[in-house]
Amino acid sequence: MKSVQMALAGLLASLLLSPAALAETIHPSTISAAETATIDAIAKRTFDHIRNGKSADALNLFFGSGSLMKGKASELSYLASQIDSVSNIYGPMGECRLAEERIKVGLIIQRLYLCRHGEYMTRWKLLFANPTSGWTGANVYFDDKVWLGLDD
């Protein structure tokens, strides 16, 4: 019995001292209410611009003026045209709801939104990063595979 207790104590100690557990202790996977409000506002305003047919403005707002998108005008223009095609294929964007969220050490947040387009739905994966300049969009991905989650 004593050997089982020692084995369990050793297992517990190794779990408590694992790199993942240590990283979670040093950098918790949470963000403040103010940070959540900032990210919510970026997402809402981005989707509002898309609903109003202003995809380029939506991307400028989402990515901000940070260094992540400097020198990528042609890529942003192409992405805006792809977003416009979503409305052409599925109809105007309606309500979008947050379906999943993953926070990584308080510096990266992945969010999955499901959006209505009349009788159709789309899936939008938004990646937010918190470089030294504050929260900004870092990546956007969209498709019609609404049954899939963040990992798919």
Side-chain angles (χ1 to χ4, degrees):
M1 182 68 159
K2 191 166 194 154
S3 63
V4 171
Q5 288 175 334
M6 289 181 67
L8 288 174
L11 177 62
L12 180 60
S14 68
L15 288 173
L16 291 175
L17 298 176
S18 72
L22 187 58
E24 182 63 25
T25 302
I26 296 170
H27 302 288
S29 291
T30 59
I31 60 171
S32 71
E35 290 175 300
T36 298
T38 297
I39 292 164
D40 288 345
I42 293 170
K44 181 188 179 317
R45 291 183 7 231
T46 298
F47 287 130
D48 286 347
H49 281 308
I50 292 170
R51 277 186 206 97
N52 292 325
K54 299 178 180 178
S55 298
D57 291 344
L59 293 174
N60 287 332
L61 179 128
F62 181 73
F63 290 114
S65 59
S67 62
L68 289 174
M69 289 294 122
K70 283 195 173 152
K72 306 227 187 236
S74 63
E75 290 89 342
L76 287 172
S77 178
Y78 178 74
L79 183 55
S81 72
Q82 293 299 304
I83 292 172
D84 290 338
S85 73
V86 170
S87 293
N88 293 335
I89 294 168
Y90 300 104
M93 179 183 279
E95 175 187 20
C96 294
R97 292 187 186 180
L98 178 62
E100 283 184 56
E101 180 178 78
R102 183 177 301 133
I103 302 171
K104 296 188 179 198
V105 297
L107 297 174
I108 299 288
I109 296 179
Q110 291 176 290
R111 284 187 167 187
L112 171 68
Y113 290 87
L114 299 178
C115 299
R116 289 185 177 153
H117 298 263
E119 296 300 313
Y120 298 99
M121 303 279 290
T122 55
R123 169 178 80 139
W124 294 73
K125 293 197 246 183
L126 304 182
L127 179 71
F128 298 90
N130 189 4
T132 56
S133 58
W135 286 102
T136 186
N139 196 342
V140 61
Y141 174 89
F142 50 91
D143 63 23
D144 61 358
K145 297 175 182 158
V146 296
W147 60 89
L148 298 176
L150 276 172
D151 292 328
D152 303 312

